[in-house]
């Protein structure tokens, strides 16, 4: 898994990619813009510490009009943190992939907190 941070007109967005035999899959991405790269890294750290149910964050599983499912993680104040691509066939597999995503981020060490400078 790799973290990519893209800049566009002074704002930043992140995405997590997992290599596959045929290329790479996005497994999670920013749900909003950030003012800097540290904000992106802090969002990934929030995702790494997330649990399916918790006080600090909230996970919702949503369906698109064409029947695909995706997850969205929001902070306690309602600010969007992360989301998945809409590729899941049912809400259960969507939630399972969220749990796998968090575990994979932890294993990769991408959830380390951003240190103040």
């Amino acid at each position: 898994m790799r973290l990519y941070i893209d800049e566009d007109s002074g704002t930043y967005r992140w995405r997590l990619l997992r290599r596959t035999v045929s290329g790479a899959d996005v497994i999670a991405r920013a749900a909003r813009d950030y003012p800097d790269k540290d904000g992106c890294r802090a969002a990934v750290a929030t995702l790494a510490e997330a649990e399916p149910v918790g006080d600090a964050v909230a996970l919702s599983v949503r369906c698109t009009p064409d029947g695909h499912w995706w997850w969205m993680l929001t902070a306690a104040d309602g600010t969007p943190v992360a989301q998945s691509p809409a590729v899941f066939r049912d809400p259960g597999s969507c939630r399972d992939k969220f749990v796998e995503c968090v575990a994979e981020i932890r294993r990769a060490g991408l959830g380390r907190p951003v240190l103040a400078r």
Side-chain angles (χ1 to χ4, degrees):
M1 174 184 301
R2 291 199 57 176
L3 170 64
Y4 291 89
I5 300 174
D6 303 307
E7 189 264 338
D8 182 26
S9 301
T11 61
Y12 296 83
R13 282 179 135 341
W14 59 268
R15 57 198 161 101
L16 294 172
L17 277 73
R18 178 187 310 133
R19 301 234 352 101
T20 66
V21 174
S22 61
D25 288 336
V26 174
I27 63 168
R29 62 181 174 229
R32 64 181 184 89
D33 293 334
Y34 292 89
D36 54 37
K37 291 181 179 182
D38 284 345
C40 291
R41 290 184 193 99
V44 174
T46 298
L47 178 57
E49 295 176 10
E51 299 296 333
V53 176
D55 295 333
V57 294
L59 176 68
S60 60
V61 175
R62 302 172 181 186
C63 188
T64 64
D66 65 353
H68 291 93
W69 293 84
W70 59 287
W71 55 258
M72 166 82 75
L73 187 73
T74 56
D77 66 0
T79 304
V81 175
Q83 64 188 42
S84 72
V87 296
F88 304 105
R89 294 184 180 158
D90 59 71
S93 64
C94 184
R95 185 176 297 274
D96 290 346
K97 288 297 181 182
F98 169 78
V99 173
E100 287 177 26
C101 176
V102 169
E104 196 167 336
I105 292 167
R106 291 173 182 170
R107 278 193 304 274
L110 296 175
R112 287 185 228 126
V114 176
L115 301 176
R117 295 178 189 186

